[in-house]
Amino acid sequence: MAVAMVSCGIPTSLKLIEKQPISIPGFFNGSLALNPVQKLHVTPKRLALSGSTIILKASATAVEDGSSQETAAVPTPKVVIDLDSDPEATIVEVTFGDRLGALLDTMNALKNLGLNVVKANVCLDSSGKHNTFAITKASTGRKVDDPELLEAIRLTIINNMMEYHPESSSRLAMGEAFGVFQPYQKIDVDIATHIHVYDDAPERSLLCVETADRPGLIVDLVKTITDINVDVESGEFDTEGLLAKAKFHVNYKGKALIKPLQQVLANSLRYFLRRPTTEDASF
């Protein structure tokens, strides 16, 4: 990122919980299984950046062009992973007010995950600077469809954001465990969780999930859905500060979900999301 950085000893790697092999049909046809003796490491490579300093909660803040302006409230970081917009690539959008630069460090970290950034755009509007990447697998040249890799992409971006913009950790759920600044507020997962299933077309339904964010959430959502034999075709996963918002196109044997199955799906997700730390051995 072209903006200022501060040396705070922020960890540059996040670890996902080990997963047992699971088989998932449909759009997410990659392997969700990690080797039982391995964990997925997200370790972005750091690029040489400017040595200027971000001043937190002060009268002025350093911005990428070196100018000073009155410090506003820390904006809400947003990371959007879109599997619908482009048939050939996975679209990733990163927004953090006007504080993000070219995100060269993030693109480099994505390459370290075995990905190619085939296109990058920057759009500035009233909500801030939107950095958009079109990414594909380096090995196949095709879009990313593996939930494990999608989660690694999300955590890599969030990890980089907290490293180069430490103040962002105060607005991210990951900041509680990995950031310098704790989140300003806590979210009650029971209150934050909302699940709805809609009829989208004769051959599919639309599942909308909103819940408190945490590491591994993409993988866990897809596993919970497919455990009841519902296929995930495609979708979008948004990280907005402390919340995660997902939209999945789902089907059951090539058809839209009937009402009883919609209720089963909603109940399964609600039970899982409201008890994220419950272990089978506790029953």
Side-chain angles (χ1 to χ4, degrees), residues 149-268:
L149 187 51
L150 291 171
E151 180 67 11
I153 291 169
R154 187 175 77 100
L155 294 183
T156 295
I157 294 170
I158 291 174
N159 190 45
N160 270 24
M161 189 180 296
M162 290 193 298
E163 180 174 1
Y164 298 114
H165 293 275
E167 76 276 22
S168 68
S169 67
S170 66
R171 301 298 302 272
L172 287 162
M174 310 298 179
E176 185 165 2
F178 304 108
V180 172
F181 303 102
Q182 296 293 300
Y184 293 135
Q185 59 184 138
K186 306 294 183 181
I187 288 185
D188 186 322
V189 68
D190 287 340
I191 297 174
T193 298
H194 303 281
I195 301 166
H196 303 283
V197 185
Y198 304 98
D199 294 329
D200 189 41
E203 69 280 1
R204 69 184 188 183
S205 298
L206 178 64
L207 168 65
C208 299
V209 180
E210 180 175 323
T211 191
D213 190 26
R214 56 185 173 81
L217 190 55
I218 294 179
V219 176
D220 292 338
L221 285 175
V222 174
K223 181 181 184 302
T224 302
I225 295 168
T226 55
D227 276 350
I228 58 174
N229 298 317
V230 173
D231 294 341
V232 178
E233 297 178 12
S234 62
E236 178 180 310
F237 194 94
D238 302 355
T239 304
E240 296 187 13
L242 302 177
L243 289 173
K245 301 177 181 180
K247 295 180 180 179
F248 295 119
H249 296 297
V250 297
N251 72 78
Y252 177 71
K253 296 184 178 180
K255 301 292 183 181
L257 276 59
I258 61 175
K259 295 300 182 182
L261 186 54
Q262 290 182 10
Q263 191 62 51
V264 170
L265 176 59
N267 290 344
S268 297

Side-chain angles (χ1 to χ4, degrees), residues 34-49:
L34 294 179
N35 187 300
V37 298
Q38 290 181 323
K39 289 186 177 180
L40 179 61
H41 294 263
V42 178
T43 310
K45 185 177 179 180
R46 191 167 188 164
L47 298 183
L49 299 176

